[in-house]
Amino acid sequence: MAYEWLPPTRDYQPLWPGKLVEVRNLPNGLTLEIWDYSRKLAGDRWLIGMLAQIEVKVGAEHFSAPEMFERFLQETGGVIYYRYRKERHFVDEKERNQVFETIKDHFLKAALEYLSHPSFRDRLIQSEIPLFERKVRWEEEIRRKDEEAERLEELWKDRPI
């Protein structure tokens, strides 16, 4: 899997630094952060990277069971993220600021109304929580199948074929 740059947190440090370039308080009460994680690739060539993210806190009422919410808290700290990332490779150093600003401006022009919609938070939760719960159920099923395979292997290991 390819490396995806994420902003630094108390528990995570990215492979290369990024810079928070803009914070917008949206009319729906959410906060949009825009990060520049551009870096030099070789010579005068750059990777231009922009990450837009919105953090959304999630409560127990959005989950099918209290156990799912507890697991969600353990794995995510109780938040989900909307994230949009755009990259351009091998950009000339002289064009790097202009390319980043163009990427940012096009994103804001295309997505700001959508991200500012009053129901954006609820729609994000309605799409992300079922994905999380499906992932948890799938992991549990895989764990059960592995345990059953190990049990059968132990049961049949000394029997002749």
Side-chain angles (χ1 to χ4, degrees), residues 8 21 23 28 33 35 47 50 61 63 77 82 87 104-106 108 114 116 127 132-133 146 152 159:
V21 294
V23 175
N28 57 8
E33 297 177 346
W35 290 81
L47 161 79
M50 183 204 76
E61 67 275 7
F63 290 84
Y82 163 84
E87 294 180 348
K104 182 180 86 163
D105 292 344
H106 284 150
L108 290 172
Y114 167 71
S116 298
S127 69
F132 175 81
E133 289 187 350
D146 287 347
L152 290 173
R159 295 198 180 178

Side-chain angles (χ1 to χ4, degrees), residues 89-101:
H89 295 269
F90 296 103
V91 173
D92 188 289
E93 188 167 21
K94 293 177 227 143
E95 299 172 2
R96 96 176 218 204
N97 291 332
Q98 179 204 355
V99 170
F100 180 84
E101 287 302 316

Side-chain angles (χ1 to χ4, degrees), residues 26-114:
L26 303 176
N28 57 8
L30 299 174
T31 302
L32 171 65
E33 297 177 346
I34 298 179
W35 290 81
D36 178 355
Y37 62 92
S38 303
R39 68 184 177 98
K40 188 178 265 198
L41 292 174
D44 67 345
R45 298 296 155 176
W46 282 71
L47 161 79
I48 306 300
M50 183 204 76
L51 172 73
Q53 80 172 9
I54 297 175
E55 179 181 294
V56 175
K57 296 201 182 304
V58 180
E61 67 275 7
H62 299 105
F63 290 84
S64 62
E67 305 80 39
M68 284 289 188
F69 180 61
E70 288 301 318
R71 176 120 178 226
F72 180 77
L73 285 176
Q74 289 172 356
E75 291 185 20
T76 68
V79 297
I80 57 175
Y81 290 94
Y82 163 84
R83 286 192 172 123
Y84 175 84
R85 133 183 13 293
K86 186 74 173 179
E87 294 180 348
R88 291 271 313 270
H89 295 269
F90 296 103
V91 173
D92 188 289
E93 188 167 21
K94 293 177 227 143
E95 299 172 2
R96 96 176 218 204
N97 291 332
Q98 179 204 355
V99 170
F100 180 84
E101 287 302 316
T102 301
I103 291 171
K104 182 180 86 163
D105 292 344
H106 284 150
F107 167 76
L108 290 172
K109 184 185 265 186
L112 195 55
E113 188 175 331
Y114 167 71

